[in-house]
Amino acid sequence: MDTHGSDTYGSDTNGTHDEDAEQHTHAHTNACDTGCCERLEAEGEVAVARLILDSGDLGHAADHVAGAIGTDPSLPEAHEVLAELVARVGGPVAALELFPGTSRYTGTLACRAGLLAALDRPDEAVVLLAGVMAAAPVRPWAAVAWLADPELPSRLSAEPLTQAVLRLCQGLGDPVAEEERAALVPFAEVVRAVLARGEDPQLAAVASGLARRLGDIGLALEWGEAAVRSGAGAMGAIMLGNALRRAGRVDETIALWTLTIEQDPGQSYLVVDLAELLAFTGRRPEGLALLEKLVAAEPEHEKAAPALLGMRFEADGDTAHLLELTDHHRAHPDHDYAGYLVGHHVQRFPWLGRVTGGTEACVNLLRQLVEADNLTVSGEMSLSIIEPPSAITTLRLVIPGLQVGFLETGDPDPRLPGAEVGVRVWRYEGCDAFPAVEPPSARALALVRDLATPNWPGPTALYDHAVALAGVPVAELLGVLAHPPVPQDAPWQGGFAMEVPDYWVRSVQTIVCMGIAHHRADQPWGDSERRRILVDLLNGAEDWVCEAAGMALVATGWAFPETREDVLEWLLNRVGQFMQVAEKRAVTVLASMCHLVLACPWLEPKGRAFIADVVERLESED
C-alpha cells in the first residue's frame, strides 16, 4: 500500500437494504483534520512531486501527487501539480495508468476520479469518489472543481449515482459526526440536483438515507415519500420508515413496514427490523412472534436467529442467550449481527464486557489523591490488614513516595495459595510482597501496554484480541503481572488510566492472562501448559492476579465449549475457598470472583442464583 497515508478504500459491497444493517456500528478509517500540519505535509508532497517531475520519473512523481491530494484534498497546488503531471504524460488517458483503480490508497483513487471526470466519464468518477469519501468522510474530497461543475448533474445517470450514494452511506455513521457534515454537503447537492430532473425511485430512496445521515430529516422524509410514491417498493418503504422513525413518528413506521411485509412477505430483513422496533416500543411479544416465525421458516437466516436470541436476552436478562449468540457466531462466522449483539449487550456485565475496579482501602486512597492531584505526597500509611500485592503495586506506580505498612496478616493467611502451585508471581518477606518473577523485556511490556483494554465486546472477542501475545514467552508475560507498565504511559484516551489506575493495572493483568491462554494452543486443553499455568495463577496468593487468570479461563470456556465444565469447576472451587475465608475476614476480591462465576452461563440456575445472592449482599455491604 502507498505510504502517503493510512486511509484505505474498502471493497465494493452492493447492497439494497440501506439499513446497512442499521443497528451495526460503522467502522470508520481514521481521518485526521486537514489543519495546519496536514496542509504543510501536503505542500511538502507537492514540492517533492515537482522536483521528481523535473527528473522525469513520472511514476514516482504520481505517488507524491497522490500523497498531496490524499493529505489535503482542498489544496489548490495539489491539483495544479496533478494537471502538470497529466500534461507531461500526454493527457488524462495516459495518466490513468499512474493512478490504478486497484489501489487502496484514497489519494490515488481521488486522483483517478478527477481524471475520469476529465475524460467525460462522470458516472465512474462519482462512484469512485463516493468510495473515497466513505473511507475518510472528514476530509473535503468533494471540494473539487469537477464536482462543482453546474453541468455535471445533467451528465450523470441515476443508476450509477444510486450505487455511489449506497457506497457512501455504507461508510458513514447515522448521523454523521458534526465535523464530517460540511465535507459531505457538496456531494449531497449533486444528488439533489439530479433528483430535481425528475423522480427516480431508487435514487430518491437512497438519497433519503443520505439526508437522514446528514441530519436533514425534512429532506429525508421528502425524498422517502417520493421514493414510495414513484414505485421504489420495499427499498422506499425501508428508507421512509427510517426517516419517520428518526422524526419520532414510530407508529407510522410500524404501520408502513407492516403493510410492506404483507405485500411482499419475502422481505425477511425488514421483518427483523420491524420485530426489533416493536420490542423497542414495548411490544416485545409481537416482535418475538415475528422472529420465531421467521426463524422457523429460515433457520439459517443471517440476522433472524441472532435477533431472536438478542430479544430473548432483553426479555429475561439471562446471559445464557448471549452464550448461545456466541456459539451461533462461531458456527456461522459470516453472521456478523450475532457478534454485534453480543458486544452490545455484554457491556453492563462485569468481566463479560469490562474489567472491574479494585475495592481495597489503598485503592480508595489512591483515587482520592489522584482526584486531588496530590501525587507527590510522601510518608508512610498503615493499614490494619494485608491487601493484595497488585493493589499496593498500583499505589506505588502512581505515588512512589508513599510507603504502606500493615498491622497484621489476617487469618486465614492471604499470603498462602489455595492449592499446591508451581507458578508464583509474588513472594513475601513478612507482610511485604515482592515480585517472584523477573521484569519483562521492553518489547513485551510495550506489546501488553498497547493491547490492554478496560472493555471488550464479549469474552471470545477479548480472547481473539490477545492472540498477538501468543508468541511472547510465558516468563515475560508473568513478569508483566508483577511489573506492569505505569498508567502514565497508557495509550487510553483522555488520561483515563491515570484517573482510575486500578482499572489500568487490572486491564494489563487481564490481557496478560489472555496471552497465557494462547500459549502452546496446539496442546489438548486437559494436559496443556496454558491450563496448568492459569490454574496456578487462579489458586495463587490472594491477589488481582487470581481474577485475571479467572477471566482467561472464562474466555477459554466461551471460545471452546469442551473446556466449560473444567473451567467452571476450578472457578467454583476457588470462590468456595474465598467464601470460607470471608466468614473470618474481608476478602476484597470475592465479589469480583463471584462475577467471574456468573460469567459462566453454563452454571446450573440454582448455582447462579446462589452466587448472585452473594454478590448482591457483598455489594450492598460495600
Side-chain angles (χ1 to χ4, degrees):
M1 185 181 72
D2 196 304
T3 57
H4 289 301
S6 62
D7 297 317
T8 59
Y9 171 52
S11 60
D12 182 15
T13 53
N14 294 323
T16 57
H17 178 59
D18 166 78
E19 276 287 282
D20 307 321
E22 298 256 10
Q23 292 85 351
H24 287 275
T25 53
H26 297 273
H28 289 219
T29 306
N30 289 335
C32 54
D33 295 328
T34 53
C36 180
C37 293
E38 288 74 15
R39 177 59 57 95
L40 290 174
E41 182 182 345
E43 289 174 346
E45 292 281 7
V46 169
V48 173
R50 286 198 165 112
L51 287 173
I52 297 175
L53 265 178
D54 291 339
S55 73
D57 189 348
L58 301 182
H60 192 190
D63 289 342
H64 288 278
V65 171
I69 288 179
T71 303
D72 184 357
S74 65
L75 182 67
E77 292 88 340
H79 295 277
E80 290 171 7
V81 75
L82 173 60
E84 294 171 22
L85 174 64
V86 171
R88 187 71 63 92
V89 299
V93 173
L96 279 176
E97 296 183 9
L98 299 175
F99 302 98
T102 55
S103 173
R104 291 180 60 82
Y105 176 52
T106 49
T108 298
L109 296 173
C111 291
R112 183 176 180 84
L115 295 172
L116 290 170
L119 289 168
D120 199 24
R121 294 160 63 180
D123 290 339
E124 297 172 70
V126 167
V127 171
L128 186 56
L129 186 66
V132 171
M133 293 168 65
V138 75
R139 290 183 178 166
W141 303 106
V144 289
W146 67 265
L147 198 68
D149 181 357
E151 298 299 319
L152 177 66
S154 65
R155 303 201 308 273
L156 287 174
S157 304
E159 185 175 346
L161 184 57
T162 300
Q163 179 188 353
V165 176
L166 275 172
R167 184 176 289 189
L168 173 58
C169 287
Q170 287 165 356
L172 299 180
D174 187 8
V176 300
E178 184 64 35
E179 61 270 21
E180 296 172 358
R181 186 173 290 110
L184 298 168
V185 166
F187 183 88
E189 289 302 317
V190 171
V191 175
R192 184 196 292 264
V194 173
L195 280 172
R197 297 184 336 211
E199 292 182 355
D200 180 275
Q202 297 302 317
L203 179 57
V206 298
S208 175
L210 177 60
R212 188 183 72 250
R213 286 168 170 79
L214 294 178
D216 192 338
I217 305 305
L219 191 58
L221 289 168
E222 177 186 332
W223 283 344
E225 290 166 353
V228 171
R229 183 173 58 250
S230 55
M235 183 67 158
I238 290 167
M239 291 301 192
L240 176 56
N242 286 326
L244 289 167
R245 182 169 56 176
R246 183 63 60 80
R249 295 157 61 179
V250 178
D251 290 341
E252 292 177 63
T253 300
I254 291 174
L256 175 63
W257 286 356
T258 300
L259 177 61
T260 302
I261 293 167
E262 289 174 354
Q263 294 173 341
D264 185 359
Q267 289 296 324
S268 58
Y269 288 88
L270 186 56
V271 171
V272 175
D273 294 335
L274 175 58
E276 292 182 329
L277 185 56
L278 286 166
F280 176 76
T281 59
R283 299 163 61 180
R284 185 177 291 119
E286 295 176 64
L288 282 168
L290 281 176
L291 290 176
E292 287 166 353
K293 181 179 179 181
L294 178 55
V295 170
E298 299 184 46
E300 295 300 308
H301 194 283
E302 66 174 345
K303 197 174 178 184
L308 178 58
L309 290 169
M311 196 173 294
R312 286 173 176 168
F313 167 76
E314 292 168 355
D316 59 23
D318 189 343
T319 54
H321 300 306
L322 302 184
L323 183 64
E324 284 188 76
L325 269 171
T326 299
D327 291 344
H328 178 93
H329 197 203
R330 183 186 305 105
H332 305 85
D334 56 327
H335 291 191
D336 293 338
Y337 195 50
Y340 163 77
L341 287 174
V342 172
H344 176 70
H345 288 306
V346 298
Q347 292 304 310
R348 63 187 177 95
F349 291 100
W351 293 120
L352 282 182
R354 58 181 174 83
V355 75
T356 65
T359 61
E360 292 75 15
C362 67
V363 170
N364 293 334
L365 173 65
L366 174 57
R367 288 188 181 179
Q368 292 174 31
L369 293 172
V370 167
E371 186 175 356
D373 196 23
N374 187 9
L375 305 185
T376 59
V377 63
S378 61
E380 185 172 342
M381 65 176 287
S382 181
L383 297 175
S384 60
I385 192 171
I386 282 182
E387 293 197 331
S390 294
I392 304 301
T393 296
T394 302
L395 177 66
R396 289 172 178 158
L397 283 177
V398 181
I399 309 179
L402 187 60
Q403 302 302 311
V404 181
F406 306 98
L407 299 180
E408 61 173 299
T409 59
D411 183 33
D413 194 336
R415 300 171 298 179
L416 301 178
E420 265 317 304
V421 296
V423 176
R424 295 176 185 263
V425 174
W426 304 105
R427 62 178 179 83
Y428 278 91
E429 295 180 7
C431 290
D432 296 322
F434 299 91
V437 289
E438 293 296 317
S441 67
R443 177 182 173 276
L445 200 67
L447 186 57
V448 170
R449 180 195 63 214
D450 292 343
L451 287 173
T453 175
N455 49 58
W456 43 83
T460 56
L462 183 62
Y463 179 88
D464 293 341
H465 180 64
V467 70
L469 297 175
V472 179
V474 168
E476 296 222 47
L477 293 175
L478 294 172
V480 179
L481 290 175
H483 304 275
V486 296
Q488 294 91 326
D489 293 341
W492 294 357
Q493 294 182 353
F496 179 65
M498 274 300 293
E499 291 179 13
V500 281
D502 53 313
Y503 276 80
W504 166 249
V505 171
R506 291 164 70 82
S507 298
V508 165
Q509 292 178 330
T510 299
I511 202 67
V512 164
C513 289
M514 287 291 171
I516 294 173
H518 284 279
H519 177 64
R520 297 293 303 274
D522 58 313
Q523 295 178 333
W525 172 252
D527 299 319
S528 66
E529 289 184 40
R530 63 190 185 281
R531 174 182 181 269
R532 176 183 58 81
I533 295 169
L534 289 174
V535 169
D536 279 356
L537 295 176
L538 175 72
N539 289 321
E542 193 172 307
D543 187 57
W544 294 355
V545 169
C546 302
E547 301 167 73
M551 180 56 206
L553 289 170
V554 168
T556 299
W558 278 68
F560 302 98
E562 67 274 13
T563 69
R564 288 174 184 170
E565 292 307 317
D566 182 61
V567 164
L568 181 59
E569 182 178 350
W570 285 112
L571 287 172
L572 285 174
N573 180 66
R574 193 64 171 124
V575 166
Q577 291 175 343
F578 283 139
M579 284 182 178
Q580 291 178 355
V581 171
E583 294 176 0
K584 298 182 179 181
R585 63 167 175 82
V587 179
T588 59
V589 300
L590 177 55
S592 178
M593 289 295 301
C594 287
H595 278 298
L596 282 167
V597 173
L598 293 176
C600 300
W602 52 94
L603 173 62
E604 48 85 22
K606 287 185 178 180
R608 275 198 279 169
F610 171 74
I611 296 294
D613 286 343
V614 172
V615 170
E616 185 177 358
R617 176 173 53 80
L618 290 170
E619 294 180 347
S620 174
E621 291 172 357
D622 287 343

